[in-house]
Amino acid sequence: MEDVFYLTRGWRNATYIMFGALICVFVSLLIYLFFDPFLRKGIFFILPVSLIAIGASMCGILQVDEKIFWDNHSVRKVSRLVNREILLEDVKGYKFAWNYLHIVPHKGKGKRILVSTYVCGMRLLHEELVSRYPDLKQQK
């Protein structure tokens, strides 16, 4: 049996709209930068800030389609930018921090997997983790 968890449709659409708007704003700022003499004075500041904001927005759009797969052998995070897998026997525990659920592996067994609390089926994933692994936040 394999469970698939992904970001809810509302959050995906909101993210597309927000990052799309940011990209439009910074692309238009770049265009006006080369035509407006007032903005041309700040080219060394506006150009890198705009390019960084456009790049970060593109990364956000690419990351929205991530999916978390939970099966009998492993937990996997699959997206266009980050692909991680932890075998279930290598999971040390879990903890909540801010709006993310951290699935933490044993030292040297991989990197932690961050799952947004806005994914469909978060309760099911949380129940699976509670039934198998300790809460690392309570252990401290």
Side-chain angles (χ1 to χ4, degrees):
M1 182 179 92
E2 182 175 77
D3 294 322
V4 180
F5 305 97
Y6 51 89
L7 200 60
T8 60
R9 182 179 294 170
W11 281 108
R12 275 188 299 182
N13 291 341
T15 304
Y16 287 137
I17 291 169
M18 181 182 69
F19 284 131
L22 278 175
I23 289 172
C24 289
V25 166
F26 284 104
V27 165
S28 64
L29 184 63
L30 282 177
I31 291 170
Y32 286 125
L33 179 66
F34 294 106
F35 293 114
D36 189 2
F38 177 73
L39 289 177
R40 204 174 288 171
K41 294 177 185 175
I43 194 168
F44 294 113
F45 176 73
I46 296 172
L47 183 67
V49 169
S50 296
L51 293 176
I52 289 170
I54 291 168
S57 298
M58 288 301 298
C59 288
I61 287 174
L62 291 175
Q63 200 64 13
V64 168
D65 290 329
E66 72 182 13
K67 292 181 182 173
I68 309 297
F69 295 96
W70 179 282
D71 59 20
N72 295 331
H73 305 290
S74 66
V75 58
R76 294 185 325 258
K77 179 178 184 175
V78 177
S79 70
R80 292 183 182 148
L81 299 177
V82 176
N83 294 316
R84 294 188 178 160
E85 181 176 18
I86 304 173
L87 297 176
L88 293 182
E89 59 199 32
D90 294 337
V91 174
K92 180 179 179 182
Y94 70 96
K95 65 180 178 177
F96 278 102
W98 293 87
N99 286 335
Y100 288 96
L101 171 67
H102 298 252
I103 302 173
V104 182
H106 289 287
K107 189 169 182 139
K109 299 291 184 175
K111 293 184 177 181
R112 69 180 59 201
I113 293 177
L114 298 176
V115 182
S116 173
T117 55
Y118 300 113
V119 298
C120 293
M122 175 53 86
R123 289 185 187 185
L124 177 64
L125 181 60
H126 185 252
E127 288 171 6
E128 288 283 339
L129 289 168
V130 166
S131 67
R132 295 178 186 216
Y133 306 108
D135 185 356
L136 298 176
K137 212 168 196 180
Q138 291 180 354
Q139 286 185 350
K140 288 184 179 182

